[in-house]
Amino acid sequence: MKNRMLGVIDATTYHEDLEELTVHRSLAAVPFAGRYRLIDFVLSNMVNSDIESVAIFPKYQYRSLMDHLESGKNWDLNRKRDGLFFFPSPLLDSPSKGIGSFNHFAANLDYFYRSKQEYALISNCFTVFNMDFRPVLERHTKTGCDLTVIRQDGRSLEMYLVKTSLLINLIESRNETGYTCMNDVVTDIRHSFTICNYEYTGLAVMIGSIEMYYAASMGLLEPEAWKNIFKRSQPVYTKVKDEPPTRYVKGAKAHNSMIANGCMIEGVVENSIISRGVKIGKGSVVKNCIIMQKSQIGENCVLDSVILDKDVKVESGTKMEGTPEMPLVIRKGTVQGALMNS
Amino acid sequence: MGKKKCVAMLLAGGKGSRLSSLTKSLAKPAVPFGGKYRIIDFTLSNCTNSGIDTVGVLTQYQPLVLNSYIGIGSAWDLDRKNGGVTVLPPYSESSEVKWYTGTASAIYQNLNYLKQYDPEFVLILSGDHIYKMNYELMLNYHIEKGADATISVIEVPWPEASRFGIMNTAEGMRVAEFDEKPALPKNNLASMGIYIFNWSVLKEYLEMDDRNPESSHDFGKDIIPLMLDENKKLFAYPFNGYWKDVGTVKSLWEANMDLLDDECELNLFDHDWRIYSVNPNHPPQYISPDAEVAESLINEGCTIEGEVEKSVLFQGVFVGRGSVIRESVIMPDAVIGENVYIEKAIVPSGIKIPDGFVISASQEDEEITLITPEMLQGIC
């Protein structure tokens, strides 16, 4: 039977180690793999698992997230019944330490009261994976667990499946129990709930720092990895842009790279992830880089192990270099000149 | 329905027989073009970019692909509460089934569609051409001239003029005479099949034409000559820019190759005049460590492990190791095996080319090979 689960995405997480990329946007909206945002992975997985009602709980800098999600149309979530719900936190206190903050949910209890779906799948917003949640539900219902934690190699992926009624109980009794989030319940031994584990064997990368972000991005250049994330039967949906196909002009070269649409490649691209609408000028060499949307690289530049955020302009003749362990991150909308870095 | 100033009627029922097997199961406007588009995207995008939000799309030949592609028009922002896109297939009446026998009969049979919007002007378009045009400017011209009808024209090379419907113009671009494919052309202004009519005049002439048993019910052959005979005010609207009828395999290939030319006027990267299309969901293209890509247009969802040069690749194309693709157009989801050589060819959607297959261009003629499933039989 379809539509048995609610999808609940906690988009309140703030990772200090990702600050360079989250100054202007919430973690859920961090661009990934050339045309996606981190939230696309969990949201698409939910939709592909027959979830028709998804609630997103954001907190900081969520303008870019709202802009990305719009009405939910790209995920087929602009529905008359159910669909996409957006519940920004009314509390501006410090970030909660675990996924699924009961305080945050409490402000929107009506959503849980009104929903008819029997189960709720609660997830973080920063995992890159392509997972079918239906087998989790099947196992959960067969074994009669109260709470299932999705894990990989024993480590929690910070995704939980519970009955909606139990979730409501946990939210309502948070002051008495002292539980602030799902993980508090899982790690506590005083209660009588049956906690089960579901081991996920596919690829799943939780993005917690710039280094992990860079490594996970570069990892996608391995065919085994991208085949695991991008499956034709379970597509990753994202906001559609009407960009033309990417054009390679005379003198352009590309090797071992992932390149989105709307790019104009006049230089050389190697071991890189290039997002939509990027321009790489004549004589420029872009190696081991992540270049985000609409960044413009002039002529005769050399970039190695650099992450260019959106709308960065690199003037002709500029040289920039980081290392795979410490990629150089250039903030959104800045101008990089040849003189500044020489 | 609210009143509309201008309603567009887009003729999309053409068979495009010269496109051979490409139009075996879909209408010409649905033929893939330019790495991600279908031909009709250009006309529909022109409408939405020109501020025309009410478009009737007349379908007849093999409409399944086209119908599902157009959907409710959201790809072109034409899903509107008042107006938007409406697909208008032929239908039966109590007495008989009426197929669209000509361009004029297709519009005549949908007069009721137009009446709901009570427009001042009707724009007649064809879904067969690749071009970017602001119809609003043409409408302003039509109004300024005080015309009954305005026909968009483009200068064609004199030797080719006898292949087109030619407008012979008098002072101030008033149309004096219309020559359908003249043996000895007096002018080189060819009709682009784009007309703006005053609604009342159009209605009158379509009704008149329907009563004429001799008529072939065609705008070029019947309606325009009749209006000229009756001294109506017809003006030619000169269009300068890229315009191509991709009616043959060769011209379809050429128009795709034009996109790889820096000098080409048809700029797909112009954000002020985007060409909208239905976007299938594909990951970015993947260029493998051994792949070579040069002077090409490549869409999302492609996996390139071989060598691609001067080619246009649509979404979801796979090019295997050791394969070479040169000056070719590879349509959506085609799979090219390993060690394949393809030159000057069009590979249709979804075709699987077996390992080691070779298509090279013969040096004498400039023919383009359209690969068909029959050609591949017995190879794999």
Side-chain angles (χ1 to χ4, degrees):
Chain A
M1 204 183 90
K2 284 186 150 196
N3 201 12
R4 295 178 69 195
M5 288 184 277
L6 289 176
V8 179
I9 301 176
D10 184 330
T12 62
T13 313
Y14 178 80
H15 289 320
E16 258 175 36
D17 290 348
L18 267 162
E19 195 197 336
E20 289 290 326
L21 296 176
T22 51
V23 176
H24 302 279
R25 56 175 83 92
S26 82
L27 180 57
V30 167
F32 193 79
R35 63 192 289 272
Y36 304 95
R37 306 264 185 169
L38 288 178
I39 198 167
D40 290 341
F41 297 92
V42 63
L43 190 54
S44 301
N45 291 346
M46 286 179 168
V47 170
N48 289 333
S49 305
D50 296 334
I51 292 179
E52 293 177 10
S53 177
V54 179
I56 296 173
F57 290 83
K59 192 158 187 175
Y60 310 98
Q61 305 281 21
Y62 52 76
R63 184 205 57 80
S64 58
L65 186 59
M66 287 188 76
D67 177 60
H68 180 69
L69 297 170
E70 294 176 324
S71 62
K73 188 172 184 171
N74 287 305
W75 295 265
D76 209 16
L77 286 171
N78 57 333
R79 307 258 62 94
K80 284 203 172 180
R81 273 171 291 131
D82 298 327
L84 186 72
F85 298 84
F86 210 72
F87 300 120
S89 173
L91 313 163
L92 280 173
D93 53 355
S94 52
S96 96
K97 52 188 178 357
I99 294 301
S101 157
F102 295 144
N103 252 340
H104 195 166
F105 292 164
N108 298 285
L109 255 174
D110 278 352
Y111 169 72
F112 299 100
Y113 289 145
R114 283 178 195 162
S115 296
K116 294 198 171 62
Q117 288 82 350
E118 202 182 345
Y119 297 93
L121 180 81
I122 302 151
S123 172
N124 68 75
C125 65
F126 50 86
T127 303
V128 176
F129 66 136
N130 190 333
M131 178 180 180
D132 185 350
F133 294 122
R134 286 169 296 192
V136 185
L137 177 64
E138 202 177 317
R139 254 264 317 268
H140 184 89
T141 50
K142 265 193 194 148
T143 51
C145 298
D146 294 312
L147 200 158
T148 296
V149 187
I150 302 175
R151 294 180 184 271
Q152 183 154 63
D153 300 326
R155 193 174 63 112
S156 168
L157 288 176
E158 295 181 42
M159 293 169 207
Y160 312 92
L161 183 65
V162 286
K163 268 203 170 148
T164 310
S165 54
L166 176 57
L167 178 62
I168 292 172
N169 278 344
L170 289 168
I171 299 166
E172 285 174 335
S173 62
R174 68 193 181 283
N175 292 330
E176 295 86 71
T177 60
Y179 300 142
T180 62
C181 63
M182 291 306 289
N183 196 47
D184 286 355
V185 185
V186 173
T187 51
D188 193 36
I189 45 163
R190 289 171 301 165
H191 58 64
S192 56
F193 302 128
T194 324
I195 311 272
C196 301
N197 295 313
Y198 182 96
E199 177 70 19
Y200 178 60
T201 52
L203 180 68
V205 191
M206 296 168 89
I207 308 290
S209 65
I210 293 287
E211 207 183 321
M212 284 157 88
Y213 175 83
Y214 182 79
S217 301
M218 289 301 151
L220 280 184
L221 294 175
E222 291 297 324
E224 277 315 302
W226 68 257
K227 279 178 191 160
N228 206 306
I229 298 294
F230 302 115
K231 303 171 186 170
R232 282 221 170 172
S233 54
Q234 292 157 239
V236 183
Y237 301 102
T238 189
K239 184 178 178 180
V240 158
K241 299 273 168 81
D242 286 270
E243 294 284 356
T246 277
R247 189 162 161 222
Y248 298 86
V249 308
K250 207 168 186 165
K253 279 203 170 93
H255 299 287
N256 197 36
S257 293
M258 231 170 179
I259 302 175
N261 267 359
C263 295
M264 187 67 92
I265 314 282
E266 299 177 352
V268 177
V269 181
E270 258 176 65
N271 308 326
S272 295
I273 314 264
I274 313 290
S275 304
R276 300 193 264 211
V278 166
K279 189 173 180 216
I280 297 176
K282 279 197 183 86
S284 287
V285 178
V286 174
K287 246 191 209 174
N288 311 313
C289 289
I290 298 167
I291 312 292
M292 294 189 201
Q293 216 177 308
K294 287 190 184 160
S295 277
Q296 310 281 309
I297 298 166
E299 298 182 0
N300 303 312
C301 297
V302 178
L303 274 68
D304 191 348
S305 307
V306 177
I307 299 175
L308 287 193
D309 205 325
K310 282 173 72 175
D311 301 314
V312 172
K313 191 167 187 287
V314 179
E315 292 178 349
S316 293
T318 307
K319 282 194 170 52
M320 291 200 274
E321 207 175 328
T323 63
E325 295 73 35
M326 243 190 156
L328 182 63
V329 185
I330 306 297
R331 278 198 187 177
K332 183 178 167 183
T334 54
V335 178
Q336 303 295 312
L339 292 172
M340 291 181 235
N341 288 285
S342 57
Chain B
M1 299 286 167
K3 186 176 163 64
K4 294 279 176 185
K5 185 179 177 188
C6 182
V7 172
M9 296 295 266
L10 203 171
L11 297 157
K15 187 173 173 190
S17 0
R18 288 173 303 155
L19 282 167
S20 179
S21 57
L22 284 174
T23 49
K24 198 177 157 196
S25 57
L26 45 79
K28 182 177 166 189
V31 167
F33 176 80
K36 82 174 276 195
Y37 310 97
R38 293 187 188 268
I39 295 171
I40 198 171
D41 284 329
F42 288 82
T43 321
L44 286 172
S45 299
N46 286 343
C47 284
T48 195
N49 287 330
S50 301
I52 291 171
D53 63 8
T54 310
V55 185
V57 180
L58 299 111
T59 60
Q60 178 156 285
Y61 174 76
Q62 286 287 6
L64 176 64
V65 174
L66 196 54
N67 285 350
S68 61
Y69 187 70
I70 293 169
I72 59 165
S74 34
W76 306 271
D77 216 9
L78 289 171
D79 50 334
R80 302 296 176 91
K81 282 206 192 297
N82 180 21
V85 126
T86 308
V87 174
L88 303 168
Y91 55 90
S92 70
E93 285 178 1
S94 50
S95 54
E96 56 179 329
V97 178
K98 287 185 168 174
W99 292 103
Y100 298 154
T101 52
T103 49
S105 89
I107 308 294
Y108 174 77
Q109 285 176 50
N110 289 291
L111 283 180
N112 282 336
Y113 169 76
L114 287 165
K115 279 176 194 164
Q116 324 173 74
Y117 296 107
D118 186 25
E120 286 170 60
F121 307 101
V122 179
L123 170 66
I124 311 283
L125 299 165
S126 138
D128 291 352
H129 303 123
I130 304 292
Y131 66 113
K132 299 204 288 190
M133 179 174 175
N134 191 340
Y135 304 132
E136 200 182 0
L137 299 178
M138 181 174 168
L139 182 60
N140 292 344
Y141 177 94
H142 174 85
I143 295 167
E144 266 170 41
K145 292 280 182 187
D148 292 308
T150 300
I151 301 144
S152 183
V153 294
I154 189 162
E155 271 189 53
V156 293
W158 278 97
E160 285 179 36
S162 50
R163 286 176 41 219
F164 292 92
I166 296 295
M167 297 289 159
N168 297 323
T169 49
E171 234 180 86
M173 293 304 278
R174 181 149 181 183
V175 179
E177 198 183 1
F178 177 75
D179 275 346
E180 180 69 26
K181 296 181 181 157
L184 294 167
K186 293 179 222 156
N187 201 344
N188 67 336
L189 292 177
S191 164
M192 296 162 68
I194 302 168
Y195 311 93
I196 292 177
F197 289 93
N198 291 344
W199 162 231
S200 54
V201 177
L202 177 69
K203 197 166 61 172
E204 181 192 337
Y205 276 82
L206 286 176
E207 281 165 352
M208 220 190 295
D209 177 71
D210 183 63
R211 290 192 296 268
N212 177 8
E214 307 291 308
S215 173
S216 58
H217 309 301
D218 187 87
F219 277 103
K221 291 189 194 109
D222 306 291
I223 304 283
I224 300 297
L226 185 64
M227 288 177 76
L228 286 170
D229 280 351
E230 300 201 342
N231 216 15
K232 288 280 168 192
K233 286 169 82 178
L234 271 68
F235 283 86
Y237 174 72
F239 174 74
N240 304 304
Y242 187 94
W243 180 79
K244 202 146 197 165
D245 178 3
V246 287
T248 62
V249 171
K250 177 100 185 278
S251 65
L252 178 65
W253 178 85
E254 279 171 355
N256 274 287
M257 291 302 124
D258 285 346
L259 297 173
L260 305 177
D261 181 358
D262 285 328
E263 309 293 311
C264 177
E265 283 177 281
L266 186 72
N267 178 11
L268 297 176
F269 285 75
D270 178 6
H271 282 184
D272 294 329
W273 202 272
R274 274 185 206 261
I275 304 302
Y276 299 100
S277 63
V278 175
N279 286 271
N281 217 299
H282 282 290
Q285 55 191 270
Y286 172 69
I287 315 289
S288 89
D290 306 323
E292 294 275 350
V293 176
E295 290 183 76
S296 292
L297 198 62
I298 302 182
N299 198 4
E300 287 171 338
C302 287
T303 303
I304 317 289
E305 296 181 351
E307 197 182 307
V308 177
E309 198 193 327
K310 291 189 181 158
S311 294
V312 175
L313 272 61
F314 285 73
Q315 64 270 16
V317 167
F318 177 86
V319 179
R321 248 170 252 194
S323 289
V324 177
I325 311 292
R326 258 192 204 125
E327 296 182 72
S328 293
V329 177
I330 318 290
M331 290 187 174
D333 301 314
V335 177
I336 317 285
E338 296 185 1
N339 304 311
V340 169
Y341 184 88
I342 294 179
E343 193 180 358
K344 290 202 169 158
I346 295 181
V347 178
S349 307
I351 270 196
K352 282 191 170 58
I353 307 280
D355 294 354
F357 184 78
V358 174
I359 284 278
S360 40
S362 58
Q363 305 210 318
E364 298 88 57
D365 58 17
E366 286 286 290
E367 275 312 293
I368 303 304
T369 313
L370 171 63
I371 293 179
T372 60
E374 292 75 37
M375 291 166 72
L376 304 169
Q377 265 169 15
I379 295 174
C380 18

